[in-house]
Amino acid sequence: MDKLALVDLLGYFPTSATEFFGIASMLCHFVGFYLYGAHVLKGRIKPNIATWGMWLFGEIVDLITYDSIKGSHWTTNAGPFACTVGVLGISTLIIFQHLRGVIKGTKTEYQPLEKADKYWVIPDVTAFLLWLKGLGTLGNFVSVGTTVVQYLPMYRETYRDPSTEQAGPWIWWSTAYLCTLLAVITGPGAESVALYFLPIYYFAIDA
């Protein structure tokens, strides 16, 4: 009987340490976003619309600039890819929940957008323009390195009211970035210093 390559399930199992950590990073991200989405639907979390809106664009920029760094591999990109998909999912969920509330005439509580919040997307726009000019590595440093300012609305509101966030998703996301770091260390781009910045930085601000 001829072998059907499309149903060769063994091909989906990790065959090296870097593949294991890459897949683990992706799965940890998805678990974190699943938990976060469940909390949003149950009203346990009051997401900051400004933060999630900026994250959606920012994660796309992070992914394309990280992919452009010398030595990048699907195993190192698996985490950022999963994060991009997850942020898109949560952003869509927030919009859906808001529209459902409008239709039903019920009010959904979100953290307010403050005047300065809208300017914090500028670094990601700058990073995207750098990527277009062929300076992807520099763009990644700009995009990733300035993400902390996009976290400020969430940090601010969580400091004021700790009930606005839940620890569970952030633990999973922090673990995901540790796995991405291990994927870099064990992968073909281990000598590329630029690849280490994203997982180390995001672990620090998520944790």
Side-chain angles (χ1 to χ4, degrees), residues 163-181:
S163 67
T164 60
E165 289 290 334
Q166 297 288 325
W170 297 96
I171 293 173
W172 280 100
W173 291 329
S174 298
T175 304
Y177 285 115
L178 281 179
C179 290
T180 298
L181 176 60

Side-chain angles (χ1 to χ4, degrees), residues 74 86 91-92 102 126 148 150 152-153 155 160 163 198:
W74 74 262
S91 300
T92 303
V102 171
T126 302
V148 68
Q150 298 176 359
L152 291 179
Y155 287 160
R160 293 173 180 172
S163 67
L198 182 147

